[in-house]
Amino acid sequence: AAFEAAFDWKKDLNIDSPHPMLFFSAKEINSLRIKATTTHSKISARITDVVKKIRDNLELYMPPLEHDKFTSRWNEMYGNNLCALAMYCVLFPEDSQALELAHDYMNRMAMQPSWEFTSMKSDEMPISHSLVGFATAYDFLYPTLNLEQREQFYKRIYKATSRHFERFKSATWGGYHLQNHV
């Protein structure tokens, strides 16, 4: 219901919306959906498989509510899987349960004070993966988010980006324009 009220991708794409904008625009969504069932069906099938795995094992794949549990293990998978889940929601808007799952997933990540891995606080990789996945999902799902979610998620992206930028300035790899850490 919230999905339908926020943005009905099935009927009328708002091509003036600023989102999505990172990898494609709202104007391209119908074309992407067609490609998902034709020329890009293998990619679409992989994305669908990821979402099925998430649904089949929520205990493993959903970010935990408890911060200690979230940071106690290598957690880059949360950002990685969130990208696939968000793309699935764009390609298959009729699956309202997937959209609910994506919103819950983002809420769980947004509530975490930190995306660090406790045992290796100096390693920025989990933060990088979480940040890229979360920002991408924010962009893809922006039209389906209510105003409160938009603000909450934007603030979370801002906070993580600001902290990551501070790390970037002092990191050994920070002076390189081309590297795989951010």
Side-chain angles (χ1 to χ4, degrees):
F3 172 71
E4 297 299 329
F7 186 71
D8 190 349
W9 283 349
K10 293 177 227 170
K11 294 181 186 172
D12 183 34
L13 290 174
N14 178 1
I15 59 173
D16 297 323
S17 172
H19 294 278
M21 67 175 166
L22 292 176
F23 299 104
F24 52 85
S25 71
K27 294 176 188 177
E28 298 170 279
I29 291 175
N30 281 334
S31 174
L32 288 171
R33 290 182 183 147
I34 292 167
K35 290 175 183 177
T37 61
T38 58
T39 58
H40 292 64
S41 61
K42 286 183 182 179
I43 297 169
S44 176
R46 301 257 338 247
I47 292 169
T48 301
D49 287 346
V50 169
V51 173
K52 182 179 179 342
K53 284 180 183 175
I54 293 170
R55 284 178 160 158
D56 288 348
N57 195 345
L58 294 175
E59 181 72 27
L60 175 64
Y61 291 108
M62 284 293 283
L65 294 170
E66 306 83 15
H67 182 63
D68 290 345
K69 192 173 178 183
F70 182 87
T71 59
S72 68
R73 66 181 203 176
W74 194 253
N75 55 36
E76 70 182 47
M77 76 169 185
Y78 299 125
N80 296 345
N81 290 333
L82 181 55
C83 281
L85 179 57
M87 187 66 200
Y88 176 88
C89 292
V90 169
L91 296 175
F92 304 101
E94 65 279 1
D95 190 344
S96 59
Q97 289 178 335
L99 184 64
E100 267 185 56
L101 183 63
H103 287 180
D104 184 34
Y105 201 112
M106 292 183 76
N107 282 324
R108 287 169 174 245
M109 286 191 71
M111 67 181 275
Q112 300 298 330
S114 168
W115 292 336
E116 294 174 328
F117 174 49
T118 309
S119 299
M120 296 176 69
K121 285 189 177 230
S122 63
D123 195 327
E124 73 290 331
M125 291 303 269
I127 300 165
S128 298
H129 285 255
S130 293
L131 182 55
V132 168
F134 197 84
T136 301
Y138 179 81
D139 181 58
F140 288 3
L141 301 178
Y142 183 87
T144 71
L145 303 173
N146 63 41
L147 293 176
E148 182 180 320
Q149 289 170 316
R150 288 176 182 178
E151 184 176 343
Q152 175 193 15
F153 298 162
Y154 175 83
K155 285 179 179 178
R156 188 63 185 99
I157 292 166
Y158 182 85
K159 177 182 174 184
T161 302
S162 298
R163 291 179 75 192
H164 210 44
F165 179 71
E166 290 305 315
R167 286 181 161 201
F168 178 81
K169 292 191 306 189
S170 62
T172 56
W173 47 263
Y176 296 99
H177 295 288
L178 184 61
Q179 38 77 20
N180 68 341
H181 292 260
V182 238

